[in-house]
Amino acid sequence: MELLKEKILKEGRVLSDSVLKVDSFLNHQIDPLLMKEIGDEFANRYSDEVITKVLTIESSGIAPATMLGLTIGAPVVFARKRKSLTLADNLYSASVHSFTKNETNEISVSKDYLCEDDNVLIVDDFLANGEAVKGLLDIAEQAGAHVIGVGIVIEKGFQQGGQQLREQGIRIESLANIKSLTNGKVEFFD
Ligand code: 5GP
């Protein structure tokens, strides 16, 4: 997606050979017009499928997932990283190791919002080692839901998550796929 790639080149900051900071439009401040384009692009790429639910993880997956939900008219469910008093039981849970924070979180979704009748599209901001997506796949499987595929805003194709998931037969659509972040420079796969 050219608009997204231009934005990454203009505003992204390479923090190391493996971490890209995009706080100005995705991870802290949000560019709603770009998010709307992203939601429309996911909808286009999956226009051959009927999506009944968009599943993401808090917090940075929520903006792109919501824009997709708005475009296709489907509800958006986000997995929570902390158990709250109002979300105590009746849960599907999975363990997710965070690449950027180097900590493991238990993520949960209420059984009220995901069921075996659902056709789910998983959405997230980044795909690195695939831990977040694997956790969401685990939750969808516990619910008996059918997973259509995954929509990723920024894939770091030099890390292993995308390849591993595709080898398992999972459809992944990423809107920008980064080949390298070496020497402080962002390079994309074509
Ligand atoms: P994975 O679970 O695929 O290893 O990593 C994806 C998750 O880690 C995403 O939900 C995202 O929040 C975070 N993440 C991974 N790599 C990056 C990165 O380079 N930049 C930012 N901002 N977040 C990342």
Side-chain angles (χ1 to χ4, degrees):
M1 183 180 171
E2 283 312 313
L3 189 63
L4 173 64
K5 287 189 194 171
E6 283 166 20
K7 190 84 166 172
I8 293 169
L9 290 175
K10 198 163 155 227
E11 297 184 17
R13 284 186 44 215
V14 177
L15 293 190
S16 71
D17 285 358
S18 60
V19 178
L20 177 70
K21 187 169 175 168
V22 287
D23 279 9
S24 70
F25 63 91
L26 182 59
N27 290 136
H28 193 4
Q29 174 172 262
I30 287 167
D31 179 339
L33 290 177
L34 178 64
M35 286 309 126
K36 181 73 178 95
E37 294 287 332
I38 284 170
D40 290 351
E41 181 70 23
F42 284 141
N44 253 329
R45 293 196 188 195
Y46 281 100
S47 58
D48 53 325
E49 300 278 4
V50 176
I51 300 164
T52 66
K53 206 146 283 185
V54 183
L55 177 64
T56 188
I57 181 168
E58 69 175 353
S59 53
S60 294
I62 296 176
T66 302
M67 291 305 182
L68 169 62
L70 183 66
T71 304
I72 62 176
V76 178
V77 178
F78 61 93
R80 289 185 169 178
K81 287 182 181 159
R82 260 172 234 99
K83 284 194 181 143
S84 73
L85 287 175
T86 55
L87 189 76
D89 47 24
N90 197 36
L91 300 172
Y92 305 115
S93 298
S95 260
V96 170
H97 185 78
S98 163
F99 172 75
T100 43
K101 298 194 181 113
N102 196 22
E103 62 184 27
T104 300
N105 285 300
E106 183 86 351
I107 64 164
S108 337
V109 168
S110 166
K111 290 184 179 173
D112 290 342
Y113 303 123
L114 207 54
C115 73
E116 59 191 13
D117 296 333
D118 278 318
N119 272 330
V120 174
L121 188 75
I122 291 172
V123 167
D124 203 8
D125 59 340
F126 273 86
L127 176 60
N129 293 322
E131 290 290 313
V133 170
K134 284 177 206 162
L136 293 171
L137 283 167
D138 187 347
I139 281 179
E141 191 181 333
Q142 290 172 45
H146 171 63
V147 175
I148 291 160
V150 179
I152 296 291
V153 181
I154 304 174
E155 177 172 353
K156 291 183 295 177
F158 58 88
Q159 290 177 280
Q160 295 313 302
Q163 190 187 336
Q164 283 172 8
L165 292 162
R166 287 183 181 97
E167 278 171 8
Q168 287 173 36
I170 294 158
R171 178 175 173 191
I172 299 178
E173 295 284 344
S174 50
L175 306 189
N177 195 346
I178 295 177
K179 193 177 180 179
S180 149
L181 292 173
T182 47
N183 301 323
K185 201 168 157 272
V186 181
E187 267 187 72
F188 296 103
F189 286 103
D190 290 333

